[in-house]
Amino acid sequence: MRPTLPPDQLRAILHSAIMRQAAMGWRVQAQSDTQAVMSSGGQVNHVVHLLITIFLCGLWLPVWIILALTGNEKRLTITVDPYGVLLYNGRPVTPLGPPMPIPPGPPPGNVNAQAVAAANQRRDLRRKARDQAAADVVLARELRIGRPDLPRQYDDGGLIDVNHVPAQALTLFSGVTPELAEHIAAIREHVGGFSSAEELAATADLHPDLLPEIAEYAIFLP
């Protein structure tokens, strides 16, 4: 009989799967110790498109139809069983979850090079999203940069806006437990937000091991 895994290891497996999906633009809707519900895309506002169609005498109808067919929200339920097996919508997958799309680049046989290329592509998306936010913070908010908890189309490479996401979304950082996330959120409310990963770590008295990942994935919009 296979041994069951301790709760902290199950949470770590689930957290890794959540981070993988978040890096591809999925957002967390609900989460427990062994299950998370995530979504991507967004709901089509049919009332708005109806009004536009009427105003344009039917010219907007083809656009409305295309959006209705392609713009619906997608949902994914990730579960980790007592033995550490991940289930995506009830179907078992490998421990690392569904494969990430690999951008063109290294030859197909070079798996390591492909993984590095994919990681660098996500890092480049984060850099561009930070540049966009620095240039126009209003547009960054409109694009919902750093908001994996909200419907959006812009791919920011997995950034997390520490100053605005709900406490639950802070657990997307490896090592940030739900209790620590609530602690960070409470301090954030008291001080009015943070300006950098270093300020966050110092103000919230975070363990130094957390700083590299927070610095990589965090953004601090005013």
Side-chain angles (χ1 to χ4, degrees):
M1 183 176 179
R2 294 172 56 191
T4 58
L5 300 180
D8 58 340
Q9 191 168 348
L10 295 178
R11 285 194 294 269
I13 293 173
L14 178 63
H15 177 78
S16 177
I18 291 173
M19 285 295 292
R20 185 178 180 84
Q21 291 302 123
M24 293 187 288
W26 290 71
R27 56 193 177 275
V28 178
Q29 296 290 332
Q31 182 181 347
S32 66
D33 285 347
T34 58
Q35 188 177 78
V37 178
M38 305 188 72
S39 62
S40 68
Q43 296 290 342
V44 176
N45 191 328
H46 293 287
V47 174
V48 171
H49 288 289
L50 174 60
L51 294 176
I52 295 175
T53 300
I54 295 174
F55 179 76
L56 295 179
C57 301
L59 295 177
W60 190 256
L61 182 59
V63 177
W64 183 12
I65 294 174
I66 293 173
L67 291 174
L69 294 174
T70 63
N72 290 333
E73 187 178 53
K74 299 177 182 178
R75 287 184 177 271
L76 171 67
T77 299
I78 305 176
T79 306
V80 57
D81 73 8
Y83 307 104
V85 176
L86 284 170
L87 306 173
Y88 280 64
N89 288 337
R91 299 177 60 185
V93 296
T94 61
L96 292 180
M100 289 182 64
I102 305 297
N110 193 337
V111 177
N112 287 344
Q114 289 179 340
V116 170
N120 283 332
Q121 183 189 44
R122 302 300 298 171
R123 177 172 288 177
D124 188 54
L125 287 173
R126 291 192 290 274
R127 179 187 60 78
K128 291 178 179 178
R130 284 194 174 96
D131 291 344
Q132 178 65 69
D136 191 336
V137 68
V138 174
L139 180 58
R141 293 192 185 117
E142 180 71 20
L143 295 173
R144 293 175 176 173
I145 290 175
R147 298 302 304 271
D149 56 305
L150 297 176
R152 56 182 179 165
Q153 299 297 325
Y154 185 88
D155 188 349
D156 60 14
L159 289 178
I160 301 170
D161 182 4
V162 175
N163 286 338
H164 296 95
V165 295
Q168 185 182 54
L170 295 173
T171 62
L172 292 173
F173 293 114
S174 296
V176 175
T177 63
E179 294 77 17
L180 181 54
E182 292 292 346
H183 170 68
I184 294 173
I187 294 178
R188 177 182 68 188
E189 183 175 356
H190 178 70
V191 302
F194 310 98
S195 60
S196 67
E198 291 75 17
E199 180 187 359
L200 167 62
T203 307
D205 194 24
L206 302 183
H207 193 282
D209 290 348
L210 297 176
L211 186 56
E213 181 170 334
I214 291 176
E216 177 66 33
Y217 288 95
I219 189 170
F220 301 87
L221 296 183

